[in-house]
Every structure is written in C-alpha cells, then in structure tokens.
Amino acid sequence: MTAAFPLLLFGTAFLLQITLFRVFLPHAPDTMLLATVYCGVKYMKIRGYQIGIIAGLVQDIFSTGLLGINLLSKGLIGFHIGWLRENHLLNPNSPPAWAAMIFLGTLFNEFAIRIYFAGIFGAQFTSSEIIYAAMTQALLNIILGLPLFYLLDRLQARLKQKPGYGNL
C-alpha cells in the first residue's frame, strides 16, 4: 500500500488551507502535519519520515516563513510516530491513538517553530502565549484529523476490494 493516495488527499486539503481557510478563518488546521501523522501511523518510520519531509518542504515553499523549519519538524514527527508504530507502541487503527499522535505532533511542531524564531530572530514568547497557541492548533488539528483519518481508512478499505486498486 503506497502513500500516494493519502498524500494526494492531504495535498488537496493543504490547497484549501492556504486559500480558503486563510481568507475566512484566523486559525486553520495544519493539513501537512495531519498528512505526516497519518503516514507515520499507517506506513511506519521510513515512509512517515519521507512523507514528513515532503509535506514540510511543500509547506515551507508555500508559506511565508523561512525555508527549513517545517521540513525539519514534520520529518522528525513522521519518523518518531512511525517508530512508535513499528515498535508496536501504537495501534494504527485506534482513534484515541490518532488523537494522541496529532496532539503530540502539534505540540512538537509548535515548540520547534517557537524555538526556531526565538533563536534566529530573538523573538520573545510568554509561556501562556505558547500554551494557548499550541492548544488551539492541537484542537483544530484533532477536529479535522480524526474524521479525515477515519474516512481515509474507510475509503482505502473499499478501494482495496476493487480490481486494480489493491496496491493503493
């Protein structure tokens, strides 16, 4: 089973994130983080790392920040979640495990970005500001991620039963 199908779905969601969500909402779910978490959970550490690197690079290219931080954080998130799955510390079909991985991945991503900006630009952040931003982002990611993961699993299960789609 390849990660091309989920990557295509999350790529479409990313286009919505950088267009519609940015125009109408002050905060948006991080669809590239969701793609990284999903692929880490489903395809283990190497594929999670590869998808995380690709997702982070795409996000770096199309976002207004500096190049590299999303590539690094998403790659590390994908690798570590895949490592947990590979060592049987994570059930890949469990929604509570999905929520926990989305939450932890979001926290890591937020802290990595804050540390990056504090180190490079000398930005000052209060602990309450960091916690508020991380919790808000985690909640948005979980609200979008859980139904999306479930629907993606169901869709892939249905497509695998059709002739010619068994490698999806």
Side-chain angles (χ1 to χ4, degrees), residues 45-155:
K45 69 181 180 189
I46 299 302
R47 185 60 58 128
Y49 174 72
Q50 291 169 340
I51 297 301
I53 292 289
I54 292 167
L57 181 63
V58 167
Q59 190 171 13
D60 278 336
I61 289 170
F62 289 106
S63 67
T64 57
L66 292 175
L67 191 64
I69 187 60
N70 287 308
L71 182 141
L72 175 66
S73 68
K74 303 297 190 289
L76 290 173
I77 291 166
F79 179 83
H80 284 96
I81 291 173
W83 179 84
L84 289 172
R85 163 72 180 357
E86 204 169 275
N87 288 304
H88 306 289
L89 300 172
L90 175 67
N91 180 359
N93 299 317
S94 168
W98 298 342
M101 292 303 102
I102 292 170
F103 180 76
L104 293 173
T106 304
L107 289 181
F108 178 82
N109 191 58
E110 285 295 317
F111 286 122
I113 289 171
R114 300 295 174 149
I115 290 169
Y116 184 74
F117 279 105
I120 299 289
F121 299 112
Q124 300 293 320
F125 301 106
T126 64
S127 58
S128 61
E129 182 182 52
I130 294 171
I131 291 169
Y132 174 77
M135 292 303 151
T136 303
Q137 189 65 48
L139 183 63
L140 288 171
N141 288 343
I142 289 170
I143 289 171
L144 178 67
L146 289 180
L148 197 58
F149 286 15
Y150 176 77
L151 291 173
L152 190 54
D153 275 357
R154 301 284 296 168
L155 184 60

